[in-house]
């Protein structure tokens, strides 16, 4: 497929390298200029382009930006054809993104994102640490392969997202509609806990919506105490131990 990726953070970088290695025609853009994109992530044939070029003549657009940036990039989708699948990887962190009244009031993050860009989306790759995503992928059928949830309202969005998740070394588990995607938001039992396909359904079912924000903030506080700032990611082993202790 022809895939455009918006964002070169930790998740976006791994998406570029893994999806281009899988044989897809990948274009990638950041919030600056193509020349600022690290050439190392282009090693499998991906191309650095502008944001407008990234969403032009592609089958799939993957948004891998902070959630708070989505209103700024929403105009890019004005002329994107309806058949283009859009996948979002973002999570809501109010101290980074600013408080968003609709989400604070109970709207699922994914529903809010879909409203901002004015079209259906799938939600994927949001519920895994960047270190686990980069380092722990495995072939389909491998013992202990990590699973992640995928939410979508439409069959096409769901099927495309799940196929691409599999091609990045993870098992995809359909988690339900966007309205139910709160079950994979920060603070939930399936969020960054490196579960298997067999473990994922129970984790989704056991999520308690009212407890997610406090659990999310506790994890942030623990990580900041350990690494000293809000931008450095802890190593995967620590992050998974922490999220399992707090979220499960």
């Amino acid at each position: 497929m022809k895939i455009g990726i918006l964002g070169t953070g930790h998740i976006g970088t791994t998406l570029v390298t893994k999806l281009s290695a899988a044989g897809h025609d990948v274009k990638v853009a950041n919030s600056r200029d193509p020349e600022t994109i690290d050439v190392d992530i282009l090693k499998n044939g991906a191309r650095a382009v502008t944001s407008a070029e990234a969403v032009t003549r592609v089958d799939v657009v993957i948004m891998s930006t902070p959630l708070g940036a989505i209103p700024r990039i929403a105009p890019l989708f004005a002329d994107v054809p309806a058949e283009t699948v859009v996948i979002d990887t973002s999570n809501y962190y109010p101290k980074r993104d600013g408080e968003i009244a609709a989400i604070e009031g109970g709207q699922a993050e994914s529903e809010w994102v879909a409203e901002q860009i004015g079209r259906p989306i799938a939600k994927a790759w949001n519920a895994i640490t960047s270190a686990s995503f980069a380092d722990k992928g495995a072939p389909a059928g491998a013992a202990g392969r990590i699973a992640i949830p995928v939410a979508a309202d439409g069959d096409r969005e769901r099927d495309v997202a799940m196929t691409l998740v599999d091609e990045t070394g993870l098992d995809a588990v359909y988690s339900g509609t966007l309205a139910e995607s709160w079950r994979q938001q920060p603070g939930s039992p399936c969020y960054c806990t490196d579960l298997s396909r067999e473990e994922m359904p129970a984790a989704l079912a056991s999520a308690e919506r009212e407890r997610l924000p406090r659990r999310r903030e506790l994890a942030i506080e623990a990580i900041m105490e350990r690494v000293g700032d809000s931008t450095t990611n802890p190593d995967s082993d620590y992050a998974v131990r922490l999220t399992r202790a707090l979220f499960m």
Side-chain angles (χ1 to χ4, degrees):
M1 286 186 283
K2 295 180 179 180
I3 301 173
I5 297 176
L6 297 172
T8 54
H10 296 295
I11 296 295
T13 294
T14 300
L15 284 168
V16 172
T17 56
K18 289 195 173 189
L19 290 174
S20 55
H24 297 288
D25 180 0
V26 177
K27 299 186 287 186
V28 57
N30 61 15
S31 59
R32 300 181 298 282
D33 297 314
E35 294 77 16
T36 66
I37 293 175
D38 188 341
V39 295
D40 285 347
I41 73 172
L42 308 177
K43 61 187 177 183
N44 297 321
R47 290 170 288 139
V49 298
T50 66
S51 296
E53 291 170 329
V55 302
T56 302
R57 292 187 294 277
V58 291
D59 304 303
V60 182
V61 175
I62 302 176
M63 298 187 295
S64 191
T65 67
L67 184 140
I70 287 175
R72 296 196 297 275
I73 66 175
L76 292 170
F77 292 89
D79 297 320
V80 174
E83 61 268 21
T84 301
V85 171
V86 179
I87 305 172
D88 174 46
T89 75
S90 69
N91 293 297
Y92 175 52
Y93 284 97
K95 291 180 180 178
R96 178 195 65 190
D97 301 313
E99 286 197 1
I100 297 172
I103 297 176
E104 293 291 334
Q107 185 178 36
E109 296 169 9
S110 301
E111 290 184 303
W112 183 86
V113 170
E115 283 186 1
Q116 300 310 301
I117 66 170
R119 58 186 299 139
I121 65 165
K123 184 68 166 276
W125 295 293
N126 76 297
I128 186 168
T129 68
S130 58
S132 288
F133 185 31
D135 300 332
K136 296 183 180 179
R145 196 186 200 209
I146 294 171
I148 60 169
V150 174
D153 291 341
D155 292 348
R156 176 166 165 74
E157 288 79 14
R158 177 199 64 204
D159 293 346
V160 169
M162 292 182 73
T163 296
L164 293 178
V165 165
D166 177 72
E167 292 182 352
T168 59
L170 307 168
D171 281 334
V173 175
Y174 179 57
S175 59
T177 65
L178 297 185
E180 286 292 305
S181 65
W182 62 266
R183 296 182 182 277
Q184 66 194 72
Q185 291 175 186
S188 69
C190 72
Y191 184 77
C192 298
T193 47
D194 283 8
L195 303 180
S196 67
R197 177 192 294 274
E198 292 73 26
E199 294 170 317
M200 183 61 68
L204 288 164
S206 66
E208 299 172 84
R209 193 168 193 169
E210 66 280 1
R211 300 182 72 176
L212 302 190
R214 180 55 179 151
R215 290 176 172 180
R216 176 193 66 205
E217 296 307 313
L218 284 171
I220 293 171
E221 291 171 13
I223 290 170
M224 289 185 67
E225 190 280 331
R226 182 179 181 90
V227 302
D229 61 62
S230 59
T231 59
T232 302
N233 287 342
D235 67 80
S236 180
D237 289 340
Y238 171 75
V240 172
R241 290 198 309 271
L242 175 67
T243 52
R244 287 189 173 195
L246 291 176
F247 301 164
M248 297 184 73

mmCIF file of all heavy atoms in Angstrom, residues 195-216:
data_model
loop_
_atom_site.group_PDB
_atom_site.id
_atom_site.type_symbol
_atom_site.label_atom_id
_atom_site.label_comp_id
_atom_site.label_asym_id
_atom_site.label_seq_id
_atom_site.Cartn_x
_atom_site.Cartn_y
_atom_site.Cartn_z
ATOM 1 N N LEU A 195 0.571 -7.375 26.713
ATOM 2 C CA LEU A 195 -0.238 -8.581 26.854
ATOM 3 C C LEU A 195 -0.237 -9.391 25.563
ATOM 4 O O LEU A 195 0.031 -8.876 24.481
ATOM 5 C CB LEU A 195 -1.678 -8.202 27.221
ATOM 6 C CG LEU A 195 -1.858 -7.374 28.487
ATOM 7 C CD1 LEU A 195 -3.333 -7.087 28.717
ATOM 8 C CD2 LEU A 195 -1.248 -8.080 29.697
ATOM 9 N N SER A 196 -0.602 -10.659 25.692
ATOM 10 C CA SER A 196 -0.728 -11.529 24.529
ATOM 11 C C SER A 196 -2.140 -11.433 23.954
ATOM 12 O O SER A 196 -3.045 -10.851 24.561
ATOM 13 C CB SER A 196 -0.452 -12.979 24.930
ATOM 14 O OG SER A 196 -1.489 -13.445 25.792
ATOM 15 N N ARG A 197 -2.330 -12.028 22.786
ATOM 16 C CA ARG A 197 -3.664 -12.079 22.178
ATOM 17 C C ARG A 197 -4.670 -12.739 23.117
ATOM 18 O O ARG A 197 -5.829 -12.314 23.196
ATOM 19 C CB ARG A 197 -3.592 -12.859 20.861
ATOM 20 C CG ARG A 197 -4.940 -13.029 20.166
ATOM 21 C CD ARG A 197 -4.849 -14.049 19.046
ATOM 22 N NE ARG A 197 -3.997 -13.618 17.974
ATOM 23 C CZ ARG A 197 -4.412 -12.863 16.951
ATOM 24 N NH1 ARG A 197 -5.671 -12.464 16.896
ATOM 25 N NH2 ARG A 197 -3.575 -12.527 15.993
ATOM 26 N N GLU A 198 -4.239 -13.763 23.835
ATOM 27 C CA GLU A 198 -5.152 -14.473 24.729
ATOM 28 C C GLU A 198 -5.512 -13.630 25.952
ATOM 29 O O GLU A 198 -6.625 -13.743 26.490
ATOM 30 C CB GLU A 198 -4.517 -15.787 25.179
ATOM 31 C CG GLU A 198 -4.351 -16.822 24.069
ATOM 32 C CD GLU A 198 -3.244 -16.485 23.078
ATOM 33 O OE1 GLU A 198 -2.284 -15.756 23.461
ATOM 34 O OE2 GLU A 198 -3.329 -16.945 21.925
ATOM 35 N N GLU A 199 -4.602 -12.777 26.406
ATOM 36 C CA GLU A 199 -4.842 -11.961 27.591
ATOM 37 C C GLU A 199 -5.627 -10.686 27.300
ATOM 38 O O GLU A 199 -6.257 -10.113 28.189
ATOM 39 C CB GLU A 199 -3.502 -11.574 28.223
ATOM 40 C CG GLU A 199 -2.711 -12.749 28.780
ATOM 41 C CD GLU A 199 -1.294 -12.355 29.161
ATOM 42 O OE1 GLU A 199 -0.649 -11.615 28.387
ATOM 43 O OE2 GLU A 199 -0.828 -12.804 30.230
ATOM 44 N N MET A 200 -5.586 -10.227 26.067
ATOM 45 C CA MET A 200 -6.134 -8.921 25.738
ATOM 46 C C MET A 200 -7.648 -8.785 25.979
ATOM 47 O O MET A 200 -8.099 -7.776 26.540
ATOM 48 C CB MET A 200 -5.801 -8.568 24.283
ATOM 49 C CG MET A 200 -6.258 -7.189 23.844
ATOM 50 S SD MET A 200 -5.523 -5.836 24.793
ATOM 51 C CE MET A 200 -3.812 -5.944 24.271
ATOM 52 N N PRO A 201 -8.490 -9.750 25.583
ATOM 53 C CA PRO A 201 -9.928 -9.557 25.778
ATOM 54 C C PRO A 201 -10.321 -9.328 27.234
ATOM 55 O O PRO A 201 -11.167 -8.467 27.527
ATOM 56 C CB PRO A 201 -10.532 -10.862 25.226
ATOM 57 C CG PRO A 201 -9.544 -11.330 24.207
ATOM 58 C CD PRO A 201 -8.219 -10.982 24.792
ATOM 59 N N ALA A 202 -9.731 -10.057 28.163
ATOM 60 C CA ALA A 202 -10.058 -9.867 29.577
ATOM 61 C C ALA A 202 -9.609 -8.503 30.064
ATOM 62 O O ALA A 202 -10.302 -7.862 30.872
ATOM 63 C CB ALA A 202 -9.415 -10.974 30.420
ATOM 64 N N ALA A 203 -8.468 -8.042 29.572
ATOM 65 C CA ALA A 203 -7.991 -6.722 29.969
ATOM 66 C C ALA A 203 -8.926 -5.624 29.467
ATOM 67 O O ALA A 203 -9.245 -4.675 30.192
ATOM 68 C CB ALA A 203 -6.578 -6.493 29.435
ATOM 69 N N LEU A 204 -9.393 -5.742 28.246
ATOM 70 C CA LEU A 204 -10.343 -4.774 27.712
ATOM 71 C C LEU A 204 -11.638 -4.779 28.513
ATOM 72 O O LEU A 204 -12.188 -3.730 28.854
ATOM 73 C CB LEU A 204 -10.636 -5.076 26.241
ATOM 74 C CG LEU A 204 -9.508 -4.773 25.254
ATOM 75 C CD1 LEU A 204 -9.761 -5.472 23.921
ATOM 76 C CD2 LEU A 204 -9.355 -3.274 25.049
ATOM 77 N N ALA A 205 -12.121 -5.965 28.836
ATOM 78 C CA ALA A 205 -13.396 -6.086 29.554
ATOM 79 C C ALA A 205 -13.320 -5.553 30.973
ATOM 80 O O ALA A 205 -14.324 -5.085 31.527
ATOM 81 C CB ALA A 205 -13.842 -7.550 29.561
ATOM 82 N N SER A 206 -12.143 -5.608 31.585
ATOM 83 C CA SER A 206 -12.015 -5.217 32.996
ATOM 84 C C SER A 206 -11.730 -3.733 33.193
ATOM 85 O O SER A 206 -11.624 -3.268 34.332
ATOM 86 C CB SER A 206 -10.914 -6.039 33.666
ATOM 87 O OG SER A 206 -9.638 -5.735 33.114
ATOM 88 N N ALA A 207 -11.600 -2.972 32.116
ATOM 89 C CA ALA A 207 -11.305 -1.543 32.236
ATOM 90 C C ALA A 207 -12.420 -0.815 32.987
ATOM 91 O O ALA A 207 -13.600 -1.083 32.772
ATOM 92 C CB ALA A 207 -11.115 -0.925 30.857
ATOM 93 N N GLU A 208 -12.029 0.094 33.879
ATOM 94 C CA GLU A 208 -12.985 0.887 34.658
ATOM 95 C C GLU A 208 -12.784 2.352 34.278
ATOM 96 O O GLU A 208 -11.800 2.978 34.664
ATOM 97 C CB GLU A 208 -12.737 0.681 36.154
ATOM 98 C CG GLU A 208 -12.902 -0.760 36.603
ATOM 99 C CD GLU A 208 -12.473 -0.953 38.043
ATOM 100 O OE1 GLU A 208 -13.301 -0.689 38.945
ATOM 101 O OE2 GLU A 208 -11.303 -1.345 38.260
ATOM 102 N N ARG A 209 -13.735 2.887 33.557
ATOM 103 C CA ARG A 209 -13.563 4.186 32.910
ATOM 104 C C ARG A 209 -13.228 5.301 33.898
ATOM 105 O O ARG A 209 -12.364 6.142 33.638
ATOM 106 C CB ARG A 209 -14.828 4.536 32.125
ATOM 107 C CG ARG A 209 -14.655 5.706 31.178
ATOM 108 C CD ARG A 209 -15.833 5.813 30.243
ATOM 109 N NE ARG A 209 -15.560 6.712 29.142
ATOM 110 C CZ ARG A 209 -16.339 6.833 28.074
ATOM 111 N NH1 ARG A 209 -17.432 6.086 27.966
ATOM 112 N NH2 ARG A 209 -16.025 7.686 27.118
ATOM 113 N N GLU A 210 -13.922 5.315 35.035
ATOM 114 C CA GLU A 210 -13.744 6.416 35.972
ATOM 115 C C GLU A 210 -12.372 6.407 36.640
ATOM 116 O O GLU A 210 -11.941 7.427 37.186
ATOM 117 C CB GLU A 210 -14.841 6.381 37.038
ATOM 118 C CG GLU A 210 -14.806 5.191 37.978
ATOM 119 C CD GLU A 210 -15.416 3.917 37.395
ATOM 120 O OE1 GLU A 210 -15.856 3.946 36.224
ATOM 121 O OE2 GLU A 210 -15.456 2.902 38.125
ATOM 122 N N ARG A 211 -11.660 5.285 36.560
ATOM 123 C CA ARG A 211 -10.361 5.191 37.213
ATOM 124 C C ARG A 211 -9.195 5.535 36.280
ATOM 125 O O ARG A 211 -8.060 5.702 36.735
ATOM 126 C CB ARG A 211 -10.162 3.780 37.776
ATOM 127 C CG ARG A 211 -11.220 3.392 38.795
ATOM 128 C CD ARG A 211 -10.981 2.013 39.362
ATOM 129 N NE ARG A 211 -9.829 1.986 40.262
ATOM 130 C CZ ARG A 211 -9.458 0.901 40.955
ATOM 131 N NH1 ARG A 211 -10.154 -0.227 40.837
ATOM 132 N NH2 ARG A 211 -8.414 0.946 41.742
ATOM 133 N N LEU A 212 -9.463 5.643 34.989
ATOM 134 C CA LEU A 212 -8.370 5.847 34.036
ATOM 135 C C LEU A 212 -7.575 7.132 34.269
ATOM 136 O O LEU A 212 -6.333 7.086 34.276
ATOM 137 C CB LEU A 212 -8.896 5.817 32.599
ATOM 138 C CG LEU A 212 -9.637 4.560 32.136
ATOM 139 C CD1 LEU A 212 -9.860 4.620 30.627
ATOM 140 C CD2 LEU A 212 -8.900 3.289 32.514
ATOM 141 N N PRO A 213 -8.225 8.291 34.439
ATOM 142 C CA PRO A 213 -7.415 9.520 34.571
ATOM 143 C C PRO A 213 -6.449 9.494 35.745
ATOM 144 O O PRO A 213 -5.289 9.920 35.618
ATOM 145 C CB PRO A 213 -8.474 10.616 34.734
ATOM 146 C CG PRO A 213 -9.689 10.065 34.066
ATOM 147 C CD PRO A 213 -9.660 8.608 34.365
ATOM 148 N N ARG A 214 -6.907 9.015 36.905
ATOM 149 C CA ARG A 214 -6.025 8.993 38.067
ATOM 150 C C ARG A 214 -4.876 8.023 37.868
ATOM 151 O O ARG A 214 -3.722 8.328 38.220
ATOM 152 C CB ARG A 214 -6.816 8.620 39.327
ATOM 153 C CG ARG A 214 -5.959 8.568 40.600
ATOM 154 C CD ARG A 214 -5.225 9.879 40.823
ATOM 155 N NE ARG A 214 -4.411 9.859 42.041
ATOM 156 C CZ ARG A 214 -3.302 10.560 42.196
ATOM 157 N NH1 ARG A 214 -2.856 11.341 41.224
ATOM 158 N NH2 ARG A 214 -2.623 10.501 43.325
ATOM 159 N N ARG A 215 -5.146 6.865 37.290
ATOM 160 C CA ARG A 215 -4.081 5.912 37.019
ATOM 161 C C ARG A 215 -3.069 6.493 36.025
ATOM 162 O O ARG A 215 -1.855 6.316 36.173
ATOM 163 C CB ARG A 215 -4.674 4.608 36.473
ATOM 164 C CG ARG A 215 -5.464 3.799 37.497
ATOM 165 C CD ARG A 215 -6.083 2.589 36.838
ATOM 166 N NE ARG A 215 -6.695 1.689 37.811
ATOM 167 C CZ ARG A 215 -7.301 0.551 37.499
ATOM 168 N NH1 ARG A 215 -7.367 0.185 36.224
ATOM 169 N NH2 ARG A 215 -7.831 -0.215 38.431
ATOM 170 N N ARG A 216 -3.563 7.171 35.002
ATOM 171 C CA ARG A 216 -2.690 7.812 34.018
ATOM 172 C C ARG A 216 -1.751 8.804 34.697
ATOM 173 O O ARG A 216 -0.546 8.828 34.441
ATOM 174 C CB ARG A 216 -3.558 8.536 32.980
ATOM 175 C CG ARG A 216 -2.793 9.331 31.936
ATOM 176 C CD ARG A 216 -3.753 10.253 31.179
ATOM 177 N NE ARG A 216 -4.306 11.286 32.055
ATOM 178 C CZ ARG A 216 -5.478 11.902 31.848
ATOM 179 N NH1 ARG A 216 -6.233 11.575 30.813
ATOM 180 N NH2 ARG A 216 -5.887 12.842 32.681
#
